[in-house]
Amino acid sequence: QVQLVESGGGLVQAGGSLRLSCAASGRTFSTYTMGWFRQAPGKERESVATITQSGLNTYYADSVKGRFTISRDNAKNTVYLQMVSLKPEDTAVYYCAAKSAYTSNFPYWGQGTQVTVSS
């Protein structure tokens, strides 16, 4: 199993930037595909970005392409989400998640970090 702890959320004005971090426990971090998800009030949780074990492949939701960048440092057991040009519609609780390369679902989740973008 892996335990995930997000940090870096906060209140920012539209057009601003934030960098979220997700620290993972355990010695097998590099074997997990990592993802960032978000859930806004009254909305379903949605995938924001995903990164494969080596970091060579990344995937983004259309709504964040060109503005968000997912990256990972396997030596530090950490995955990041750099967010720039933030919009009020990016306001949500952001969650970090991990899964094996052999599964479709993400079984491991962090507690979430709130991102609020004011207009």
Side-chain angles (χ1 to χ4, degrees), residues 19-66:
R19 188 177 81 154
L20 305 183
S21 299
C22 173
S25 64
R27 295 176 291 178
T28 59
F29 176 75
S30 62
T31 67
Y32 291 100
T33 293
M34 301 299 297
W36 284 98
F37 295 76
R38 67 185 181 187
Q39 187 166 21
K43 295 187 177 181
E44 293 187 354
R45 185 172 60 196
E46 63 174 347
S47 174
V48 174
T50 304
I51 188 167
T52 53
Q53 294 93 318
S54 65
L56 289 178
N57 294 304
T58 56
Y59 306 92
Y60 296 94
D62 288 342
S63 59
V64 307
K65 280 182 182 176

Coordinates of all heavy atoms in Angstrom, one line a residue, residues 19-66:
R19 N 1.5 25.5 -6.8 CA 2.1 24.2 -7.1 C 1.7 23.3 -6.0 O 2.0 23.6 -4.8 CB 3.6 24.3 -7.2 CG 4.2 22.9 -7.6 CD 5.7 22.9 -7.8 NE 6.4 22.8 -6.5 CZ 7.7 22.3 -6.4 NH1 8.3 21.9 -7.5 NH2 8.2 22.2 -5.2
L20 N 1.0 22.3 -6.3 CA 0.6 21.2 -5.4 C 1.7 20.1 -5.3 O 2.3 19.8 -6.3 CB -0.7 20.6 -5.8 CG -1.9 21.6 -6.0 CD1 -3.2 20.8 -6.4 CD2 -2.1 22.5 -4.8
S21 N 1.8 19.6 -4.2 CA 2.8 18.5 -4.0 C 2.0 17.3 -3.3 O 1.0 17.5 -2.6 CB 3.9 18.9 -3.0 OG 4.7 19.9 -3.6
C22 N 2.5 16.1 -3.6 CA 1.9 14.9 -3.0 C 3.0 14.0 -2.6 O 3.7 13.5 -3.5 CB 0.9 14.3 -4.0 SG 0.3 12.7 -3.4
A23 N 3.2 13.9 -1.3 CA 4.3 13.0 -0.8 C 3.7 11.6 -0.5 O 2.7 11.5 0.1 CB 4.8 13.6 0.5
A24 N 4.4 10.6 -1.0 CA 4.0 9.2 -0.9 C 4.9 8.5 0.1 O 6.1 8.7 0.1 CB 4.0 8.6 -2.2
S25 N 4.3 7.6 0.8 CA 5.1 6.7 1.7 C 5.5 5.5 1.0 O 5.0 5.2 -0.1 CB 4.3 6.4 2.9 OG 3.2 5.6 2.5
G26 N 6.4 4.7 1.5 CA 6.8 3.5 0.9 C 8.0 3.5 0.0 O 8.3 4.6 -0.5
R27 N 8.5 2.4 -0.4 CA 9.6 2.3 -1.2 C 9.3 1.9 -2.7 O 10.2 1.7 -3.5 CB 10.6 1.2 -0.6 CG 11.2 1.6 0.7 CD 12.0 0.5 1.3 NE 11.3 -0.6 1.6 CZ 11.8 -1.8 2.1 NH1 13.1 -1.9 2.2 NH2 11.0 -2.8 2.5
T28 N 8.0 1.8 -3.0 CA 7.6 1.4 -4.3 C 7.0 2.5 -5.1 O 6.2 2.2 -6.1 CB 6.6 0.2 -4.2 OG1 5.5 0.6 -3.4 CG2 7.3 -1.0 -3.5
F29 N 7.2 3.8 -4.7 CA 6.6 4.9 -5.4 C 6.8 4.8 -6.9 O 5.9 5.1 -7.7 CB 7.1 6.2 -4.8 CG 6.6 7.4 -5.5 CD1 5.3 7.9 -5.3 CD2 7.4 8.1 -6.4 CE1 4.8 9.0 -5.9 CE2 6.9 9.3 -7.0 CZ 5.6 9.7 -6.7
S30 N 8.0 4.5 -7.3 CA 8.3 4.5 -8.7 C 7.5 3.5 -9.6 O 7.6 3.5 -10.8 CB 9.8 4.3 -8.9 OG 10.2 3.0 -8.4
T31 N 6.8 2.6 -8.9 CA 6.1 1.6 -9.6 C 4.6 2.0 -9.9 O 3.9 1.3 -10.5 CB 6.0 0.2 -8.9 OG1 5.3 0.4 -7.6 CG2 7.4 -0.3 -8.5
Y32 N 4.2 3.1 -9.3 CA 2.9 3.6 -9.4 C 2.7 4.6 -10.5 O 3.5 5.6 -10.6 CB 2.4 4.2 -8.1 CG 2.2 3.2 -7.0 CD1 3.2 3.0 -6.0 CD2 1.1 2.4 -6.9 CE1 3.0 2.1 -5.0 CE2 0.9 1.4 -5.9 CZ 1.9 1.3 -5.0 OH 1.7 0.4 -4.0
T33 N 1.6 4.5 -11.2 CA 1.1 5.6 -12.0 C 0.4 6.6 -11.1 O -0.4 6.2 -10.2 CB 0.1 5.1 -13.1 OG1 0.7 4.3 -14.0 CG2 -0.6 6.3 -13.8
M34 N 0.7 7.9 -11.2 CA 0.1 8.9 -10.3 C -0.8 9.8 -11.0 O -0.6 10.1 -12.2 CB 1.3 9.7 -9.7 CG 2.3 8.9 -8.9 SD 1.6 8.0 -7.5 CE 1.0 9.4 -6.5
G35 N -1.8 10.2 -10.3 CA -2.8 11.1 -10.9 C -3.2 12.2 -10.0 O -3.1 12.1 -8.7
W36 N -3.6 13.3 -10.5 CA -4.3 14.4 -9.8 C -5.8 14.5 -10.3 O -6.0 14.5 -11.5 CB -3.6 15.7 -10.0 CG -2.3 15.9 -9.3 CD1 -1.1 15.7 -9.8 CD2 -2.2 16.3 -8.0 NE1 -0.1 16.0 -8.9 CE2 -0.8 16.4 -7.7 CE3 -3.1 16.7 -6.9 CZ2 -0.3 16.7 -6.5 CZ3 -2.5 17.0 -5.7 CH2 -1.2 17.0 -5.5
F37 N -6.7 14.6 -9.3 CA -8.1 14.7 -9.6 C -8.6 15.9 -8.8 O -7.9 16.4 -7.9 CB -8.8 13.4 -9.1 CG -8.5 12.2 -9.8 CD1 -7.3 11.5 -9.6 CD2 -9.3 11.6 -10.8 CE1 -6.9 10.4 -10.3 CE2 -9.0 10.5 -11.4 CZ -7.8 9.9 -11.2
R38 N -9.8 16.4 -9.2 CA -10.4 17.5 -8.4 C -11.9 17.3 -8.4 O -12.5 16.6 -9.2 CB -10.0 18.8 -9.1 CG -10.6 19.1 -10.4 CD -10.1 20.4 -11.0 NE -10.7 20.7 -12.3 CZ -10.3 21.7 -13.1 NH1 -9.3 22.5 -12.7 NH2 -10.9 21.9 -14.3
Q39 N -12.5 17.9 -7.3 CA -13.9 17.8 -7.2 C -14.4 19.2 -6.7 O -14.0 19.6 -5.6 CB -14.3 16.7 -6.2 CG -15.8 16.6 -6.2 CD -16.3 15.3 -5.5 OE1 -15.5 14.7 -4.7 NE2 -17.5 14.8 -5.8
A40 N -15.2 19.8 -7.5 CA -15.8 21.1 -7.1 C -17.1 20.8 -6.4 O -17.8 19.8 -6.7 CB -16.0 22.0 -8.4
P41 N -17.6 21.8 -5.7 CA -18.9 21.6 -5.0 C -20.0 21.3 -5.9 O -20.2 22.0 -7.0 CB -19.1 22.9 -4.3 CG -17.7 23.5 -4.1 CD -17.0 23.0 -5.3
G42 N -20.8 20.3 -5.7 CA -21.9 19.9 -6.5 C -21.5 19.2 -7.8 O -22.4 19.0 -8.6
K43 N -20.3 18.9 -8.0 CA -19.8 18.3 -9.2 C -19.2 17.0 -9.0 O -18.7 16.7 -7.9 CB -18.9 19.2 -10.0 CG -19.5 20.5 -10.5 CD -18.6 21.3 -11.4 CE -19.2 22.5 -12.0 NZ -18.3 23.3 -12.9
E44 N -19.1 16.2 -10.0 CA -18.4 14.9 -9.8 C -16.9 15.1 -9.9 O -16.4 16.1 -10.4 CB -18.8 13.9 -11.0 CG -20.3 13.5 -10.9 CD -20.6 12.4 -11.9 OE1 -19.7 12.1 -12.7 OE2 -21.7 11.9 -11.9
R45 N -16.2 14.2 -9.3 CA -14.7 14.2 -9.3 C -14.3 14.0 -10.7 O -14.8 13.1 -11.4 CB -14.2 13.1 -8.4 CG -12.7 13.1 -8.2 CD -12.2 12.2 -7.2 NE -12.6 10.8 -7.5 CZ -12.7 9.8 -6.6 NH1 -12.4 10.1 -5.3 NH2 -13.0 8.6 -7.0
E46 N -13.3 14.7 -11.1 CA -12.7 14.6 -12.5 C -11.2 14.4 -12.5 O -10.5 14.9 -11.6 CB -13.1 15.8 -13.4 CG -12.6 17.1 -12.9 CD -12.9 18.2 -13.9 OE1 -13.3 18.0 -15.0 OE2 -12.6 19.4 -13.5
S47 N -10.7 13.7 -13.5 CA -9.3 13.6 -13.7 C -8.7 14.9 -14.2 O -9.3 15.4 -15.1 CB -9.0 12.4 -14.6 OG -7.6 12.3 -14.9
V48 N -7.6 15.3 -13.6 CA -6.9 16.5 -14.1 C -5.7 16.1 -14.9 O -5.5 16.7 -16.0 CB -6.6 17.4 -12.9 CG1 -5.7 18.6 -13.3 CG2 -7.8 17.8 -12.1
A49 N -4.9 15.3 -14.3 CA -3.6 14.9 -15.0 C -3.1 13.6 -14.5 O -3.4 13.2 -13.3 CB -2.5 16.0 -14.8
T50 N -2.4 12.9 -15.3 CA -1.8 11.6 -15.0 C -0.4 11.5 -15.5 O -0.1 12.1 -16.5 CB -2.7 10.4 -15.6 OG1 -4.0 10.6 -15.2 CG2 -2.1 9.1 -15.1
I51 N 0.4 10.8 -14.7 CA 1.8 10.6 -15.1 C 2.2 9.2 -14.9 O 1.9 8.6 -13.9 CB 2.8 11.6 -14.4 CG1 4.2 11.6 -14.9 CG2 2.8 11.3 -12.9 CD1 5.1 12.7 -14.5
T52 N 2.9 8.6 -15.9 CA 3.3 7.2 -15.7 C 4.5 7.1 -14.8 O 5.1 8.0 -14.3 CB 3.7 6.6 -17.1 OG1 4.6 7.5 -17.8 CG2 2.4 6.5 -18.0
Q53 N 4.9 5.8 -14.5 CA 5.9 5.5 -13.5 C 7.2 6.3 -13.7 O 7.8 6.8 -12.8 CB 6.2 4.0 -13.4 CG 5.0 3.2 -13.0 CD 4.2 2.7 -14.1 OE1 3.9 3.4 -15.1 NE2 3.8 1.4 -14.0
S54 N 7.7 6.3 -15.0 CA 9.0 6.9 -15.3 C 8.9 8.4 -15.4 O 9.9 9.1 -15.4 CB 9.6 6.3 -16.5 OG 8.7 6.6 -17.6
G55 N 7.6 8.9 -15.6 CA 7.4 10.3 -15.9 C 7.5 10.7 -17.3 O 7.3 11.8 -17.7
L56 N 7.7 9.7 -18.2 CA 7.9 10.0 -19.6 C 6.6 10.3 -20.3 O 6.5 11.1 -21.3 CB 8.5 8.8 -20.3 CG 10.0 8.5 -20.0 CD1 10.5 7.3 -20.8 CD2 10.8 9.8 -20.4
N57 N 5.5 9.8 -19.8 CA 4.2 10.0 -20.4 C 3.2 10.7 -19.4 O 3.1 10.3 -18.3 CB 3.5 8.7 -20.8 CG 4.3 8.1 -22.0 OD1 4.6 8.7 -23.0 ND2 4.8 6.8 -21.7
T58 N 2.6 11.8 -19.9 CA 1.6 12.5 -19.2 C 0.3 12.7 -19.9 O 0.4 12.7 -21.2 CB 2.2 13.9 -18.8 OG1 2.6 14.6 -20.0 CG2 3.4 13.8 -17.9
Y59 N -0.7 12.9 -19.2 CA -2.1 13.1 -19.8 C -2.8 14.2 -19.1 O -2.7 14.2 -17.8 CB -2.9 11.8 -19.8 CG -2.1 10.6 -20.4 CD1 -1.3 9.8 -19.6 CD2 -2.2 10.3 -21.7 CE1 -0.6 8.7 -20.1 CE2 -1.5 9.3 -22.3 CZ -0.7 8.5 -21.5 OH 0.0 7.4 -22.0
Y60 N -3.5 15.0 -19.8 CA -4.2 16.1 -19.2 C -5.7 16.2 -19.7 O -6.0 15.9 -20.8 CB -3.5 17.4 -19.6 CG -2.1 17.5 -19.0 CD1 -1.0 17.1 -19.8 CD2 -1.9 18.0 -17.7 CE1 0.3 17.2 -19.3 CE2 -0.6 18.1 -17.3 CZ 0.5 17.7 -18.1 OH 1.8 17.8 -17.6
A61 N -6.5 16.7 -18.8 CA -7.9 17.0 -19.2 C -7.8 18.2 -20.1 O -6.9 19.1 -20.0 CB -8.7 17.4 -17.9
D62 N -8.7 18.3 -21.0 CA -8.7 19.4 -22.0 C -8.8 20.7 -21.3 O -8.2 21.7 -21.8 CB -9.9 19.2 -23.0 CG -9.7 18.1 -24.0 OD1 -8.5 17.6 -24.1 OD2 -10.6 17.6 -24.6
S63 N -9.5 20.8 -20.2 CA -9.7 22.0 -19.5 C -8.5 22.6 -18.9 O -8.4 23.8 -18.5 CB -10.8 21.8 -18.4 OG -10.4 20.9 -17.5
V64 N -7.4 21.8 -18.7 CA -6.2 22.3 -18.1 C -5.0 22.3 -19.0 O -3.9 22.7 -18.6 CB -5.9 21.5 -16.8 CG1 -7.1 21.6 -15.9 CG2 -5.4 20.1 -17.0
K65 N -5.1 21.7 -20.2 CA -4.0 21.6 -21.1 C -3.4 23.0 -21.4 O -4.1 23.9 -21.6 CB -4.4 21.0 -22.4 CG -4.5 19.5 -22.4 CD -4.9 18.9 -23.7 CE -5.1 17.4 -23.7 NZ -5.6 16.8 -25.0
G66 N -2.1 23.0 -21.3 CA -1.4 24.3 -21.5 C -1.2 25.2 -20.3 O -0.5 26.2 -20.3

